[in-house]
């Protein structure tokens, strides 16, 4: 499925819709360059889960956990990870295979430990279509 959004509000709304539809144990891989709207999407996703607290990218902590929504949200940003073994130290398996939803920014850095089935969300800009335009591809991968 390919969705085009023309504003941060539309990207937020897509995340929100996916958050409402999220299921326990789901792993969502959120890929795209810096500044494409991964955090805006994640904020919408958290809102769709019923999480009211502020959601920011956990760039320096790798993992932020939000427990107050319909399902727990485990928000990973593995951009600064040096080695995939660092994921063991933060207990990623409890998140990936637990009863919450894991949302992973920069998932290609940890491809070898991703579950067999993930939801892949790829966000791309196209400045020829405008500064706020995003092309978002969502697909189930097994």
């Amino acid at each position: 499925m390919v969705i085009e959004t023309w504003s941060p509000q539309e990207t937020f709304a897509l995340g929100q819709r996916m958050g409402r539809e999220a299921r326990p144990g789901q792993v969502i891989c959120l890929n795209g360059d810096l500044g494409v709207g991964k955090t805006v999407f994640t904020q919408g996703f958290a809102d769709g889960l019923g999480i009211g607290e502020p959601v920011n990218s956990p760039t320096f902590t790798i993992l932020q956990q939000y427990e107050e929504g319909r399902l727990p949200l485990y928000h990973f940003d593995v951009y600064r990870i040096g080695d995939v073994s660092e994921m063991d130290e933060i207990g990623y398996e409890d998140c990936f295979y637990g009863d919450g939803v894991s949302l992973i920014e920069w998932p290609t850095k940890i491809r070898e430990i991703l579950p067999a089935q993930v939801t892949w969300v790829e966000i791309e800009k196209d400045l020829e279509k405008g500064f706020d335009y995003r092309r978002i591809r969502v697909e189930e991968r097994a």
Side-chain angles (χ1 to χ4, degrees), residues 78-134:
V78 297
Y79 182 75
R80 296 190 188 282
I81 201 163
D83 186 87
V84 75
S85 65
E86 291 177 47
M87 294 294 287
D88 290 326
E89 296 170 21
I90 59 174
Y92 80 91
E93 288 178 320
D94 293 336
C95 300
F96 287 11
Y97 302 103
D99 59 0
V101 179
S102 296
L103 196 149
I104 307 161
E105 295 187 37
W106 304 98
T108 57
K109 292 183 155 269
I110 59 166
R111 188 179 305 269
E112 61 266 32
I113 62 167
L114 292 174
Q117 182 155 350
V118 299
T119 302
W120 197 267
V121 178
E122 184 84 30
I123 303 177
E124 299 173 323
K125 287 183 182 182
D126 183 345
L127 294 177
E128 290 181 10
K129 293 188 176 186
F131 182 76
D132 290 327
Y133 172 85
R134 300 296 183 266

